[in-house]
Amino acid sequence: MSIAAADIPLTDLHPSSGDITSDAIEGLSSSPKWLPSKYFYDSRGSQLFEAITRQPEYYLTRVELELLATSMPAIADAVASCAHVVEYGSGSGRKTELLLEGLEDPVAYTPIEISRTALLASVGRLAEAFPAIEMLPVCADFTQPVPLPQPTRESGHTLVFFPGSTLGNFTHDDAALLLRSMRETMGPRGQALVGIDLDKDTALIEAAYNDAAGVTRDFTLNLLARLNRDTGSDFDLAGFEHRARYSRERGRIETHLVSLREQHVRLADHSFHFHADEAMQVEYSHKYTDQSFEALIARAGLRVARRWNDPRDWFGLRLLEP
Ligand code: AVI
């Protein structure tokens, strides 16, 4: 039996999900062209991302899960008991379960998620698995500071959980702003447990974003299908190809959709010209060194209190404090 959404108090901060048409026009009018990666996650995009996490080349999810499982006793020691756990994103999966199982007596769990449907589905499942933990979902944009609901039981301490190296999808400037607002959300005595993908061999990183089954290619191209559906644009999906390359200089995978021929695309009352081989930027996935990560979080007034890496130093978990 799943717990009805109506049984769980939802704090709705009425986030604006942005205007896809004006965002797309802005990116397509720029030189070079770009599109915001947040629009990858419609329902098919979310399913394709789940499928990506099961591809043999996409090591991130597998390695982070193993790391979280093996480090959980040490994480529980480093986090005060009776924490209010606040997850950035809807947290439906095994990572959230491992954290809630492993911490000492967490009093409440607050996922912050922009999609009300994803939020209620994930919190309904977790409420069943953890009946002693108060579920306090908040529908909001986590890139802005979020006033947290107060748990019924006293909790002296907030732990923000931001796994998956989702931070890596933000440019360094945007990531610094996000971390600053995370610091405000968690308060002066709060902590944050953040998952980051680490810099490593280029071939391993590039394989993760160019899986042999072509799931990542379908994920990237789905952005155009979504734009066609939600803005009435006329992108021809067969006219573009997925390209993901690692820039060692910038420490990031740069994903582009490359036009296979000269073509025009209509969106609203605009017409956009693509020349053959023109590359449109659609996603960054940053990979960090200790130095680059510490420099980034210092911009937000945060420091690394504890660090855990898997045995091959592929993926890291960092406990951050103000
Ligand atoms: C969600 N995010 C951390 C993924 C990543 O690795 O950047 C999204 C993704 N894009 C292509 N594959 C996975």
Side-chain angles (χ1 to χ4, degrees):
M1 186 196 71
S2 89
I3 297 198
D7 297 338
I8 299 174
L10 171 75
T11 305
D12 194 343
L13 300 179
H14 308 289
S16 134
S17 55
D19 178 354
I20 186 166
T21 302
S22 55
D23 286 350
I25 290 171
E26 187 190 343
L28 291 168
S29 309
S30 303
S31 178
K33 296 184 179 63
W34 56 274
L35 289 172
S37 61
K38 67 178 177 183
Y39 294 119
F40 278 135
Y41 301 93
D42 64 353
S43 87
R44 179 162 152 75
S46 300
Q47 280 168 14
L48 285 166
F49 177 63
E50 279 308 307
I52 287 174
T53 66
R54 294 191 296 273
Q55 298 312 300
E57 299 91 339
Y58 194 77
Y59 58 85
L60 288 80
T61 311
R62 227 175 22 253
V63 176
E64 186 181 32
L65 264 172
E66 281 163 22
L67 176 62
L68 189 58
T70 53
S71 316
M72 206 48 236
I75 293 171
D77 276 352
V79 173
S81 59
C82 303
H84 178 185
V85 178
V86 175
E87 182 162 358
Y88 279 22
S90 57
S92 49
R94 189 72 196 123
K95 290 178 213 165
T96 310
E97 285 172 26
L98 280 171
L99 184 74
L100 295 178
E101 266 159 27
L103 289 177
E104 199 183 320
D105 197 18
V107 300
Y109 172 69
T110 290
I112 304 174
E113 164 67 51
I114 206 158
S115 153
R116 196 170 291 108
T117 324
L119 182 65
L120 292 174
S122 84
V123 94
R125 278 192 294 274
L126 289 163
E128 254 182 84
F130 299 97
I133 302 178
E134 191 176 6
M135 297 287 151
L136 297 169
V138 174
C139 188
D141 172 3
F142 64 62
T143 63
Q144 306 302 315
V146 175
L148 294 176
Q150 283 310 303
T152 314
R153 269 178 68 203
E154 189 156 338
S155 141
H157 173 257
T158 299
L159 175 71
V160 169
F161 185 42
F162 193 33
S165 203
T166 301
L167 186 70
N169 295 132
F170 293 80
T171 62
H172 287 321
D173 284 349
D174 287 346
L177 288 173
L178 168 60
L179 289 160
R180 237 172 266 160
S181 92
M182 181 187 287
R183 200 188 69 178
E184 261 184 65
T185 299
M186 75 200 200
R189 287 186 301 135
Q191 295 172 308
L193 184 65
V194 177
I196 51 171
D197 195 18
L198 300 174
D199 191 23
K200 62 182 74 58
D201 180 62
T202 300
L204 273 169
I205 299 177
E206 287 192 341
Y209 293 85
N210 292 282
D211 58 284
V215 183
T216 309
R217 179 199 59 218
D218 292 350
F219 173 74
T220 309
L221 283 165
N222 181 59
L223 178 61
L224 301 185
R226 183 193 182 164
L227 285 177
N228 285 349
R229 191 191 63 228
D230 290 352
T231 72
S233 59
D234 65 354
F235 281 102
D236 171 14
L237 273 61
F240 290 86
E241 73 180 1
H242 157 90
R243 188 178 80 194
R245 290 192 186 144
Y246 190 57
S247 161
R248 184 147 293 284
E249 194 194 331
R250 298 199 177 89
R252 65 190 187 197
I253 280 282
E254 299 181 341
T255 301
H256 289 92
L257 282 167
V258 181
S259 178
L260 291 170
R261 51 181 156 77
E262 184 181 6
Q263 56 185 316
H264 285 88
V265 173
R266 292 203 61 79
L267 193 153
D269 45 7
H270 297 253
S271 173
F272 297 101
H273 174 257
F274 285 82
H275 58 74
D277 292 329
E278 183 172 346
M280 171 168 63
Q281 185 266 316
V282 294
E283 189 182 48
Y284 294 131
S285 301
H286 288 83
K287 313 299 164 192
Y288 301 96
T289 60
D290 278 337
Q291 272 169 324
S292 68
F293 186 67
E294 280 161 28
L296 172 64
I297 64 168
R299 290 172 63 183
L302 292 166
R303 62 178 187 91
V304 174
R306 296 288 304 272
R307 66 193 277 288
W308 297 273
N309 284 357
D310 70 284
R312 290 178 295 196
D313 291 327
W314 283 12
F315 200 93
L317 287 166
R318 299 290 181 264
L319 188 67
L320 312 185
E321 293 178 356

